[in-house]
Amino acid sequence: MTAAAIIEALGLQPHPEGGWFAETFRDSAGGGRGASTLIYFLLKAGERSHWHRLHTAVEVWHYYAGAPLKLMRSADGKVVETQMLGPDIANGERPQGVIPAGCWQAAETTGDFTLVGCTVAPGFTFEDFELAEPGWAPGG
């Protein structure tokens, strides 16, 4: 499938951090915020998930389809760690990546597109979300 076909089939919408998303699950336990949430998230070639962080929630990325995903994180805003999410486990790619609460994160596809899922616990809210200033990057 193409990125456009997946966006249409899954009903994805533009996300403020970049890319395309649709929330697919919100656990009703845990009050209005929910105990956890799950989204589809797609990045097309040339798009990126810009640097952002969740102040009080852990985010787990799950690889689904397309090119491997370059997932970057910075706990201190200076040093960047990079993990490749994808299906080639023998060559160091992993199907999951964990971003601790308060940790800066960004991502980009290494090909035409990447489809992932993101689980956030406790559930995602925009009140907990901080998008970095345009052009900001750890260590820069």
Side-chain angles (χ1 to χ4, degrees), residues 66-114:
L69 182 82
K70 182 179 176 184
L71 179 61
M72 298 159 283
R73 63 180 155 262
S74 177
D76 62 5
K78 297 175 186 165
V79 176
V80 176
E81 299 174 23
T82 301
Q83 178 183 5
M84 295 301 288
L85 298 187
D88 194 352
I89 294 168
N91 284 313
E93 295 174 2
R94 296 294 180 257
Q96 298 176 345
V98 177
I99 307 294
C103 193
W104 289 101
Q105 59 180 303
E108 56 192 33
T109 184
T110 60
D112 290 337
F113 74 89
T114 304

Side-chain angles (χ1 to χ4, degrees), residues 1 7 10-11 32 34 40 58 68 73 88 91 105 107 112 116 127 133 137-138:
M1 289 185 78
I7 289 167
L10 297 178
Y40 290 126
V58 173
R73 63 180 155 262
D88 194 352
N91 284 313
Q105 59 180 303
D112 290 337
V116 296
E127 293 78 22
E133 294 293 323

Side-chain angles (χ1 to χ4, degrees), residues 16-121:
E17 78 191 46
W20 302 82
F21 86 108
E23 184 174 293
T24 58
F25 175 75
R26 182 172 292 268
D27 188 341
S28 61
R33 181 174 182 169
S36 65
T37 53
L38 178 61
I39 65 169
Y40 290 126
F41 185 71
L42 183 137
L43 290 170
K44 298 188 292 187
E47 295 180 335
R48 66 178 296 145
S49 168
H50 296 282
W51 286 103
H52 66 284
R53 63 181 168 181
L54 302 176
H55 291 280
T56 63
V58 173
E59 185 163 6
V60 180
W61 292 65
H62 314 268
Y63 171 84
Y64 293 148
L69 182 82
K70 182 179 176 184
L71 179 61
M72 298 159 283
R73 63 180 155 262
S74 177
D76 62 5
K78 297 175 186 165
V79 176
V80 176
E81 299 174 23
T82 301
Q83 178 183 5
M84 295 301 288
L85 298 187
D88 194 352
I89 294 168
N91 284 313
E93 295 174 2
R94 296 294 180 257
Q96 298 176 345
V98 177
I99 307 294
C103 193
W104 289 101
Q105 59 180 303
E108 56 192 33
T109 184
T110 60
D112 290 337
F113 74 89
T114 304
L115 175 65
V116 296
C118 297
T119 301
V120 174

